[in-house]
Amino acid sequence: MKLMFKHYLMKLSLVIGLLLSQQVLAEPLKPFMASSRMEIEKAHQGQPMIMAFWSLDCTYCLDELSNLGEFVKKHPKVKLVLVNADGLITRQEVVKALKQIKLPATYESWQFSEPDEERLRYSIDKAWYGELPRTYYYDNFHQVKAVSGSSDLIWLKSWASKF
Amino acid sequence: MMKTLNLVSSLALVVALAGNACGHEGHDHGQPLAVSVALDAQGNLWRASAKDGFVVVDKSLAVNPLIFASPKNINEKAQKIGTSGDARPKIAIAHNGNIYLTWTQALPTPYSGYIWFSRSIDGGKTFSPPSIVHQDRAEITHRFDALSVSPSGRIYVAWVDKRDLIAAKKTKQAYDGAAIYYAFSEDAGASFSAERKVADSSCECCRIAMLANEQGDAVMMWRHLFVGGVRDHAMAKISANETNPKIHRASFGNWKIDACPHHGPAIAKGGDWGYHLAWFDGGDKAGLFYARMDGEAWVSSPAKRFGDANSQTGHPALISDGEQVWLAWKEMTDKASLVKLVKSNDGGRSWDAPAVISQTKGKSDYPQLLLKNGQAYLAWNTELDGLAWLKVAQ
């Protein structure tokens, strides 16, 4: 009986483990909708922020996120907001990809969650044509600089010297 | 106690299964809108699409436009079929009525894939078991298939390939971008040649535009990585006899960027002098451009801009018939997605004013133009209004 109880505990922990792993996977990605950009901007009003759009299908994106992660570790005042543009069907792949790169202890992670992703992109920024990575640098006053492609590290340093 | 244990085991199984279900390529956004269409000699419209992991081919009769019937699944087992960005299954119909299909299967390693081919030699009644076009079977990038069949029946398949990048990495050599490869078939798709390289350092994620011609050659255009990380377009003429095609620069926008634009070009035949080209260029001047390319001297005309700014102008389609040229593209407004069209009657030297020829409020695919009895038709797949199919300005 004692053995059985141990067995039971093992199974129970397996179930809890599985439930937790689902929880962990489900937790970090917030649904990014048409209103999300403004919501995020409001939440971080008065703070410098980097909003970085990326995709699993973009060969430059994970390196860029890694660089941004390192950068934010050195400049903890800057909030890091990642937005995956692949859509909900890739949720698990996205979580897995993010785990493989070094990101700071705190960052926000969102994922495109509107059925029409082109329109969502249009609602975020009419001048963004879908090239990735696409990154928006907000200073303290939320003056925004949009950058397509990998960011220039020298420019990034000068941008951060203000904070 | 046993009961509790069984319950616990079942629960564990359910949770595990739920996990697997999430990991599988789902379809919670509906079926992909990325389709290709082609006309046969009788004017019937054939469509290749992807549904639940299968490439599906169906057709609508010329007398019954847009009533699609007899869908056939082409691949035997479900695959993850490339339908996002510039990826889509392709269909081409030869003069003798043979129907050819290609598509990209996404493999588990990120950015990796195989290019598949299937054919029908009985007018679409049956399709051959699919085969992989390339001999290299490494789980690396072979993606963004392009398909074209010449009037004489030679089939060209081209794709974006990363074997050279991976080889360079192994020997710690620098290598920018991917490469363009192709294979051809002299026996109506029963077999394909060994693959050949067209160019090193292509862009990684943009469709290739390809046109097989009367001579049995094919002309292709792709987004290329020029010196300094500039992503302009290159062209080359490939043939069954030559193995070292010359690369010609076709656009000069100097868009310097380390990014995936997911936005490939379009080409059409330009009389006997060359080719019509259309492409998207990014950066400060972002938008859609057109030029003529001389097919002998390989010099392109100055780029002409089309489309409104800040309207997501892009994803061009081109078709020509003699001196008549039609150029269509996609734009977006706050309320709808549009297809705009311009026409030239003098081989692309001058153009009519652009006109909105179709619009939809929901999600939509990229536009395609086809020629039927000397008239241009738009095919545009939309989520809310189905496949738009209409004759455009004469």
Side-chain angles (χ1 to χ4, degrees):
Chain A
M1 195 60 203
K2 200 176 170 186
L3 192 71
M4 232 175 147
F5 185 65
K6 201 175 163 191
H7 194 73
Y8 165 75
L9 277 184
M10 272 173 68
K11 286 216 165 179
L12 188 66
S13 62
L14 177 71
V15 172
I16 292 170
L18 279 166
L19 283 170
L20 276 177
S21 69
Q22 293 295 310
Q23 206 53 41
V24 168
L25 288 180
E27 178 54 21
L29 287 180
K30 297 179 189 172
F32 193 98
M33 321 286 276
S35 58
S36 300
R37 179 174 175 170
M38 284 179 76
E39 193 186 310
I40 294 167
E41 286 171 352
K42 210 170 165 190
H44 298 300
Q45 217 166 19
Q47 297 170 310
M49 164 173 79
I50 299 174
M51 194 187 291
F53 292 84
W54 69 284
S55 159
L56 290 165
D57 215 27
C58 150
T59 42
Y60 301 89
C61 284
L62 287 176
D63 282 348
E64 176 69 3
L65 295 192
S66 229
N67 288 342
L68 292 177
E70 289 299 320
F71 174 82
V72 169
K73 277 182 205 166
K74 285 182 206 144
H75 300 89
K77 276 186 190 162
V78 179
K79 301 290 163 199
L80 182 61
V81 179
L82 309 182
V83 187
N84 173 269
D86 291 308
L88 288 173
I89 54 169
T90 57
R91 195 174 62 107
Q92 287 206 335
E93 289 167 68
V94 165
V95 172
K96 203 172 133 195
L98 288 177
K99 273 187 186 161
Q100 286 166 357
I101 54 171
K102 288 176 192 157
L103 288 165
T106 54
Y107 65 93
E108 285 179 29
S109 194
W110 298 66
Q111 187 171 42
F112 270 23
S113 302
E114 294 274 10
D116 188 345
E117 282 145 25
E118 273 183 319
R119 180 153 295 283
L120 178 57
R121 205 176 64 221
Y122 178 82
S123 71
I124 295 162
D125 178 1
K126 288 177 184 176
W128 175 30
Y129 287 79
E131 67 279 9
L132 289 164
R134 175 82 169 174
T135 313
Y136 296 86
Y137 293 91
Y138 291 75
D139 68 11
N140 284 330
F141 307 101
H142 278 205
Q143 294 289 313
V144 193
K145 159 107 175 149
V147 174
S148 283
S150 309
S151 298
D152 180 342
L153 292 176
I154 296 167
W155 176 83
L156 201 51
K157 267 189 190 163
S158 75
W159 177 75
S161 64
K162 294 192 270 182
F163 320 121
Chain B
M1 189 69 188
M2 277 311 281
K3 260 191 179 167
T4 322
L5 276 178
N6 282 341
L7 182 69
V8 170
S9 311
S10 326
L11 192 59
L13 186 66
V14 168
V15 173
L17 283 175
N20 282 341
C22 290
H24 183 72
E25 172 85 339
H27 296 282
D28 37 346
H29 283 196
Q31 299 298 342
L33 290 173
V35 303
S36 292
V37 290
L39 288 160
D40 65 19
Q42 291 74 44
N44 304 315
L45 186 65
W46 293 79
R47 173 172 67 176
S49 57
K51 190 177 181 188
D52 299 326
F54 293 93
V55 171
V56 181
V57 172
D58 52 6
K59 90 166 165 178
S60 71
L61 295 174
V63 290
N64 238 346
L66 296 183
I67 310 294
F68 283 90
S70 327
K72 285 186 179 61
N73 284 3
I74 306 302
N75 42 318
E76 286 145 346
K77 285 182 193 163
Q79 300 175 342
K80 193 172 170 184
I81 293 163
T83 54
S84 63
D86 259 0
R88 66 186 56 241
K90 309 291 183 316
I91 185 165
I93 302 181
H95 277 187
N96 67 358
N98 282 0
I99 301 170
Y100 303 125
L101 301 165
T102 57
W103 66 92
T104 299
Q105 173 194 14
L107 299 170
T109 304
Y111 324 120
S112 70
Y114 287 160
I115 311 290
W116 290 83
F117 172 85
S118 172
R119 65 169 183 168
S120 172
I121 52 173
D122 57 9
K125 287 187 195 75
T126 59
F127 283 83
S128 64
S131 53
I132 298 170
V133 175
H134 39 89
Q135 294 176 1
D136 176 40
R137 298 294 158 88
E139 193 171 315
I140 59 166
T141 294
H142 315 88
R143 300 200 302 161
F144 299 101
D145 51 296
L147 167 69
S148 189
V149 54
S150 77
S152 61
R154 186 177 282 152
I155 309 164
Y156 285 93
V157 180
W159 62 90
V160 173
D161 194 309
K162 281 198 184 159
R163 70 185 74 180
D164 300 290
L165 166 70
I166 284 156
K169 267 188 186 164
K170 275 187 190 149
T171 56
K172 300 199 168 141
Q173 304 287 309
Y175 190 99
D176 290 330
I180 304 290
Y181 273 73
Y182 74 100
F184 58 93
S185 174
E186 304 277 35
D187 54 10
S191 65
F192 275 88
S193 70
E195 54 262 38
R196 296 171 177 176
K197 182 159 59 177
V198 182
D200 282 308
S201 296
S202 68
C203 190
E204 301 90 338
C205 53
C206 294
R207 72 182 184 198
I208 303 162
M210 184 165 66
L211 197 65
N213 62 23
E214 286 80 2
Q215 292 74 41
D217 304 327
V219 170
M220 57 200 327
M221 179 179 181
W222 68 94
R223 192 184 293 279
H224 195 74
L225 254 165
F226 289 93
V227 176
V230 165
R231 276 171 208 259
D232 261 308
H233 291 82
M235 289 183 78
K237 189 193 273 184
I238 55 172
S239 84
N241 311 320
E242 281 174 50
T243 48
N244 281 315
K246 271 192 182 160
I247 312 300
H248 311 283
R249 187 159 174 170
S251 71
F252 298 84
N254 292 316
W255 188 19
K256 185 173 167 11
I257 192 171
D258 287 334
C260 293
H262 300 282
H263 213 140
I267 56 174
K269 179 92 181 82
D272 55 1
W273 51 262
Y275 305 92
H276 303 283
L277 320 175
W279 68 92
F280 168 79
D281 201 358
D284 297 337
K285 62 199 171 305
L288 183 73
F289 294 87
Y290 164 88
R292 287 156 50 101
M293 172 61 99
D294 185 307
E296 293 277 326
W298 294 103
V299 174
S300 54
S301 66
K304 178 175 170 56
R305 190 192 182 97
F306 283 102
D308 288 346
N310 287 336
S311 304
Q312 300 287 304
T313 302
H315 306 294
L318 268 171
I319 203 132
S320 65
D321 183 36
E323 289 289 280
Q324 299 185 92
V325 195
W326 295 265
L327 167 63
W329 65 88
K330 194 167 164 176
E331 283 189 20
M332 194 169 267
T333 68
D334 289 336
K335 289 180 183 153
S337 289
L338 320 172
V339 173
K340 282 191 177 172
L341 179 103
V342 283
K343 195 190 169 205
S344 168
N345 291 310
D346 56 7
R349 289 178 189 88
S350 65
W351 296 84
D352 297 343
V356 176
I357 54 166
S358 195
Q359 53 183 302
T360 188
K361 286 196 168 148
K363 224 173 146 170
S364 64
D365 191 15
Y366 304 153
Q368 290 162 67
L369 290 173
L370 287 90
L371 208 57
K372 185 178 176 178
N373 305 327
Q375 295 181 326
Y377 283 75
L378 167 75
W380 188 35
N381 201 23
T382 71
E383 189 172 42
L384 299 181
D385 309 308
L387 182 71
W389 172 250
L390 55 124
K391 196 195 293 183
V392 303
Q394 288 308 297

